[in-house]
Structures are given as structure tokens and as C-alpha cells.
Amino acid sequence: MAPMRAPAWLPMPIRRTLRVVRRQWRIVVRRARKVSAPARRAWRRSLHLRVVTLTLVASSLLVGGFGWFIADRSTQILLDRARDEVSSQMSGKVDYAVSQLTVHRTERDPKLPTTISNTVTRLSDGDPTESGGALLELRADNYPDLKPVISDERIDASALLTREMRHSVANESQVARQIRTIDVRGEPVKYLVWGSPVPTSFGHVELYYMVPLTTEDKAANEIRATVAVTGLALVLLLGLLAGLVTRMVVTPVRVAARTAQRLSAGLLDQRMKVDGEDDLALLAASFNQMAANLQRQIVRLEEMSRLQRRFTSDVSHELRTPLTTVRMAADLIFSERDEFEPAVARSAELLQAELDRFESLLTDLLEISRFDAGFAALDAEHSDLVPIIERVAERLAGLAERVGVTIELRLPDTPVIAEVDPRRVERILRNLVGNAVEHGERRPVEVTLATDDAAVAVTVRDHGVGLKPGEERLVFNRFWRADPSRARQTGGTGLGLSISVEDARLHGGWLEAWGEPGGGAQFRLTVPVRSGDRLVAAPLPLIPRDRDRAIEAAPAVDSSAPQTSPAAPSALGDEPAEVL
């Protein structure tokens, strides 16, 4: 989380410091994200990695908790056993000390120190730094004249006896115990310290029995190390097992994904290998059956499409010959129409007009068949788009005058040179401007040209009936009409925009549409300045500047746009004095 913005009431030096901290924090966060990006990407993309990681984390928590419980219980059992043994020994030592010290009636008895020293010597158990040995001390804190006697002067017993423990034993006459750690010969040694009052005829003295827990501590550490190693091996084994099991499941899925990618690339003969009779084998068999069905359907559809394209091409070519003959006769009749009766002359004019439409339809069908067959080629050359647009406007001036529409050109004063096929660009613009004139509703049609270092864009704007939502994608479909009524006399063959889209795609450009009901429509042609370059942006907006729109309409057709090492901790920790 980023640090909060400094409040305005803070002093300026503090606010500057907080700004520096916030800036440094952002730098650290950005670097952390950059460093962790490969790991996050691998986590998102690999199911195998996620399953193995989650298995390792879950098993680590489970095995760690179970191992901690086992180690703790084992340590507690060892400690309880040591306490029981020390308690049993302590009872005998207290009884012996009582029997030796009760013969003295007063603490001032001159023989009492000797008796105390002999008692300590008699009750001592070997080397107090080794297993099986113990340190014993008799002291009388309530009688300052009696000096404490310890079985081994090499060990500082005062470090093992806390003030709380001595107070409980000496002043409250209670039995107390605790675990303490001191340095003996440069190494830490744990002691179980047991203190008990020893009643005598003149009062009581205190007997402290200090047993080293070296054996128990070593055993607890070994148990903890064994549990840790066993747990680590178990976690690794579970991780390996999870990896193998996941791989058995993920591998067929990856094979299926690769096979599906090959199928989508057109390699329809790709199949998965079927092994066994389990669920994965059933998945592979079902996938192969689906692929076979898709292959049959695609082959059938391709054959039908091929036959359809061939039929269209053959019919178009075959109609050329009779059309030529009919055209010759119609031209002859049309040229002599002034000598005919009015009804016959009108029929000759209608025949001529319909023959023009029929010839245009055949030309469009032949062009579409070339695109479908993949025979269309781009004849690119460095051309100035300004005279091309002017030529289109001049050729459509007669149509615009008949329907009461004016064509307004907004062209740069300097030439706009681009590497294009001028014939195809002129055909695109002729279709766009012609449609705008026909649907202009007697309002001006605006043609705008702009360029930058990478692209050239031409927009054709009309103010007619416009397009309904979703129709900006449909206008480029073959034979699609915004008005489904066939009684309408305006409009061409319905193939002009489809051919224009193919021409734009051949240039590596875009042809897009925008429109709204009653607000008119705008079409935008964008082509790269250099043939073969990739388009990134267009110099002109798709939505007209005169329309206050918050969201730009989606492109109707995108022809080419992409997109020093410390001591190991002991299992037996120090404990405070416990009064029994």
C-alpha cells in the first residue's frame, strides 16, 4: 500500500520528507513489480506450477504443524521424566539432610558447619557438568552466620538460583523448581533446579539440587532434527508426487491445446494419441471425433464455396458474350430512339439503363470472384491522392446535381503522396462518395483528406438518414441494404462496399464506418504511406467533430490492424520458578 498524502496542516519540512518517502515507495513498488513480472506471468499461465506450489504450501503447513506437535510432545515427555527422577531423588536427599541436621539444637552450634559440609559431600552426585551428575547446595538465607556450602566450587550456583526461587524456598518454606541455562566452560548448559526447605530443630535451611539436562536436551534436539528432516523429505515427496500426477493430467490438455491450434491453423489432419480407457483417453477420443467431424464439415463447406465461386465466375464470364451482343443491339436501338414512337423510345432508354446496371453487376461479381480466389494483386506506385479525390468528385458531380447534393472537398494545399494502387483507391472513393451522395438527403457531402508520417486518411461525411446501432458493421456485407425493400430505385448492386473493403485490406489499410439515426454517416479510409507498413493510428477521427460523442464507434472492418553462526536453539527452553 502506498503511503498516504501528507495533510496540509503539517509543517513544510515534514511534508517534503513524506513526499520523498512516497516517491521512493513508488519506485520500490515499480521495481518489485518489474522483478516479479516473470514469476507472476508463469503463475498465471502454468496450471502445473500452481498445483505443485499449492501442494507444497499446504503440505508444508500440515507437516510443519504435525512435526511441531510431535517434537513438543517428545520434549515434554523427556522433561517430565527428568522431573520425576529429580523429584524422587530430592525426597531422599531432603530426608537424609533432615536426619543429619536435626541433631543440632541451635544454629550457633560450632559443629553445624561441619555437618552441613559433610552432608553436601555425602549427597553430591558426580560431575555436575555431565549427564548423571548433579550440583547440590545447602544454604541458610535466614541465618547469615551459616555460609552456603556447594558441592562444586567451579560452578556459580548463584546464576542458577533466581531471587524469586530463593524467596519462595527460604521465606515461604515452599518447594520450587525451574529450568536455567548458564555457561559452563564456554558452552551453554541447561539445569533443572529443584529447591526444598529442610526442617531442623533450630528452623530450616534450603537444599538446592541442580541436575544438568544435557542428555534430555540432546535427545530433544535430535528428535527435532529428525522430525524436520523427515518432514522436509515428506514435503518434497508430496511435491514430486503432485508434480507427477498433475503432469499426467496437464500433458494431455497441453497436447489437446496444441492440436487445436494446429487445427485452427488449417492442419485438419491433426489428431490426439489415445492411450488406455480412462477419462483422458475418452477426452482424446472425443476430441478426435470432433476434429474428424469438423474436417468433414469444413471440407464440404470449402467444396461448396469453391463450387459457388466457380459458378459465379463461370456465369459472369459466360454472360459476357450474350451481354456484348445485346449491348451492341441496344446501342444501335438507343442511337436511333429519336425516330421511334415515344413509348418505344422510352423502352430503349430503360433497356440501356438496365444493361448498364447489369454490366456493372457482372463487373462486380468478377472482381469479387478474383478476391475469393486470391488472384487480386496490388499494383502500388507513388501517387498523389489529391487529384484522385478531385477526379472522383468531378465524375460524380452530375449525380450530385441531379439529387441536389453538393460535394465539398477539404484537401491540403500540398500534394499527399502515398504508395497505393490508384485504380483501387479511386474505386473505393467512388463507392464511398457515390453512396454518400445517394443518401445525403440534399445536404452537403464533405470529403476530407489528411496525412502524417505513417498514414493517409480520407473521410466521407454525409448528413442523411444515418445508420442504426450495429449497422456500421453490416454495411460491408455483400448485398446488404439498410432498407430491405426491393422496390427502392436508388442504390447499386450491393457489392461496392464489399469490394472496397477488399481493396483496403489489399493495401494493408482500414475501412471503417460510423453513423447514427438522423445524424448522418461517416466512412474513413486509412492506408499506410509506404506499402507494407503496419498501421497504428489514423490522422483523422472516425467520429465527426461536429457530433459530441463520448464513445467512438467500433471499427466495422479492420483490414490489417493488430492489435558468525549463532548457537542452535535448544529444544528445552528456560522456565521461570514454579512453586510446587
Side-chain angles (χ1 to χ4, degrees):
M1 180 183 297
M4 298 178 61
R5 186 177 298 277
W9 51 266
L10 287 176
M12 184 57 67
I14 298 179
R15 292 171 61 185
R16 290 198 189 100
T17 303
L18 290 178
R19 281 198 293 269
V20 172
V21 171
R22 186 167 59 249
R23 188 160 52 247
Q24 294 299 323
W25 172 264
R26 291 173 179 171
I27 294 174
V28 170
V29 170
R30 283 197 297 268
R31 290 180 179 176
R33 289 179 178 174
K34 184 177 181 180
V35 171
S36 62
R40 290 187 282 112
R41 190 182 306 112
W43 176 265
R44 291 194 306 267
R45 295 181 178 179
S46 177
L47 175 63
H48 194 185
L49 175 62
R50 290 200 299 272
V51 171
V52 173
T53 303
L54 293 177
T55 301
L56 288 175
V57 172
S59 60
S60 298
L61 294 176
L62 181 61
V63 173
F66 183 72
W68 174 85
F69 175 76
I70 293 296
D72 182 71
R73 288 302 303 162
S74 301
T75 302
Q76 193 64 39
I77 291 173
L78 292 172
L79 188 57
D80 290 343
R81 188 180 65 180
R83 286 171 177 170
D84 293 340
E85 292 178 357
V86 173
S87 177
S88 176
Q89 295 174 8
M90 188 68 176
S91 299
K93 294 180 184 299
V94 170
D95 292 341
Y96 179 80
V98 169
S99 65
Q100 295 296 316
L101 298 178
T102 51
V103 299
H104 300 281
R105 299 299 178 179
T106 176
E107 74 279 6
R108 299 184 181 278
D109 189 341
K111 296 182 179 181
L112 180 57
T114 303
T115 303
I116 292 176
S117 179
N118 293 335
T119 302
V120 170
T121 302
R122 178 67 179 82
L123 295 178
S124 61
D125 298 328
D127 189 351
T129 63
E130 302 292 339
S131 300
L135 181 66
L136 190 135
E137 183 181 28
L138 265 174
R139 61 191 304 145
D141 289 343
N142 295 329
Y143 305 102
D145 294 336
L146 294 176
K147 301 300 181 180
V149 180
I150 189 169
S151 61
D152 194 332
E153 297 291 343
R154 297 175 300 173
I155 299 178
D156 184 11
S158 61
L160 294 173
L161 303 178
T162 61
R163 181 178 304 175
E164 294 79 5
M165 185 176 187
R166 291 171 57 184
H167 177 76
S168 299
V169 177
N171 298 334
E172 299 179 2
S173 300
Q174 294 177 336
V175 178
R177 69 185 180 193
Q178 66 180 6
I179 295 178
R180 298 287 293 173
T181 303
I182 63 172
D183 287 336
V184 177
R185 301 171 186 172
E187 295 183 359
V189 179
K190 288 188 178 296
Y191 284 86
L192 175 59
V193 183
W194 205 290
S196 174
V198 179
T200 65
S201 55
F202 57 85
H204 74 268
V205 296
E206 300 87 50
L207 176 63
Y208 295 99
Y209 189 46
M210 293 157 274
V211 179
L213 298 176
T214 306
T215 302
E216 290 77 5
D217 195 24
K218 183 178 180 180
N221 288 331
E222 289 179 354
I223 291 174
R224 186 176 63 174
T226 302
V227 170
V229 172
T230 304
L232 180 60
L234 183 58
V235 169
L236 295 178
L237 182 61
L238 289 175
L240 179 61
L241 182 62
L244 294 177
V245 173
T246 307
R247 184 176 182 181
M248 292 175 59
V249 178
V250 171
T251 299
V253 176
R254 291 176 177 173
V255 172
R258 288 195 295 267
T259 306
Q261 291 174 352
R262 296 190 185 101
L263 288 173
S264 64
L267 303 176
L268 302 180
D269 58 340
Q270 297 294 310
R271 297 294 184 270
M272 291 182 62
K273 184 179 180 181
V274 180
D275 292 328
E277 300 178 358
D278 55 7
D279 294 336
L280 295 177
L282 179 61
L283 171 64
S286 301
F287 186 91
N288 291 341
Q289 183 178 2
M290 177 193 68
N293 293 335
L294 287 176
Q295 183 179 16
R296 286 195 295 270
Q297 292 292 335
I298 292 174
V299 170
R300 186 174 64 86
L301 292 176
E302 287 181 347
E303 182 64 21
M304 293 177 59
S305 177
R306 187 183 64 82
L307 292 175
Q308 182 182 10
R309 291 195 301 268
R310 182 174 180 180
F311 174 78
T312 302
S313 178
D314 291 347
V315 168
S316 300
H317 282 89
E318 291 298 327
L319 288 177
R320 278 292 183 183
T321 301
L323 177 62
T324 302
T325 304
V326 174
R327 165 65 72 181
M328 293 174 60
D331 289 343
L332 180 61
I333 297 174
F334 184 76
S335 63
E336 301 293 336
R337 66 184 184 283
D338 294 337
E339 300 178 3
F340 299 152
E341 296 180 0
V344 178
R346 178 57 181 166
S347 298
E349 294 175 353
L350 291 176
L351 177 62
Q352 186 75 7
E354 293 303 318
L355 281 175
D356 291 339
R357 293 184 62 186
F358 188 35
E359 189 172 11
S360 176
L361 175 61
L362 285 179
T363 302
D364 290 344
L365 287 175
L366 284 173
E367 191 66 26
I368 285 292
S369 66
R370 292 191 189 97
F371 283 117
D372 291 340
F375 293 151
L378 186 68
D379 188 12
E381 60 184 43
H382 292 282
S383 305
D384 185 2
L385 271 66
V386 173
I388 294 178
I389 297 176
E390 292 174 345
R391 187 163 57 247
V392 169
E394 182 181 353
R395 292 181 179 179
L396 293 173
L399 174 62
E401 184 178 356
R402 286 196 301 271
V403 298
V405 172
T406 59
I407 301 177
E408 299 178 359
L409 302 182
R410 299 176 180 178
L411 308 177
D413 297 333
T414 58
V416 177
I417 306 300
E419 192 175 358
V420 296
D421 187 337
R423 179 181 65 86
R424 295 184 185 276
V425 171
E426 183 174 348
R427 180 165 60 189
I428 295 173
L429 296 177
R430 187 168 59 249
N431 284 325
L432 297 181
V433 177
N435 287 339
V437 168
E438 290 183 355
H439 298 88
E441 299 292 330
R442 298 182 178 275
R443 297 174 184 173
V445 172
E446 303 163 2
V447 182
T448 306
L449 172 64
T451 183
D452 57 21
D453 294 338
V456 175
V458 181
T459 59
V460 179
R461 171 81 162 101
D462 68 73
H463 301 271
V465 295
L467 297 173
K468 298 177 182 179
E471 289 185 348
E472 66 275 1
R473 299 178 179 275
L474 301 176
V475 292
F476 299 101
N477 293 345
R478 299 177 184 181
F479 300 107
W480 184 85
R481 291 177 181 267
D483 182 5
S485 173
R486 292 299 179 180
R488 192 168 65 94
Q489 297 301 318
T490 60
T493 63
L495 295 174
L497 290 179
S498 301
I499 296 174
S500 299
V501 165
E502 298 295 341
D503 284 334
R505 181 180 291 114
L506 203 60
H507 282 84
W510 308 335
L511 183 56
E512 305 155 287
W514 168 90
E516 63 179 11
Q522 177 162 291
F523 288 77
R524 180 178 69 181
L525 170 66
T526 310
V527 294
V529 172
R530 291 167 293 276
S531 180
D533 286 359
R534 182 180 178 183
L535 289 180
V536 177
L540 292 174
L542 178 60
I543 299 178
R545 293 188 175 92
D546 60 349
R547 311 302 296 178
D548 185 16
R549 301 280 289 182
I551 302 176
E552 182 171 318
V557 173
D558 190 346
S559 303
S560 66
Q563 326 262 341
T564 352
S565 20
S570 174
L572 302 177
D574 291 356
E575 294 181 358
E578 179 182 1
V579 178
L580 302 178

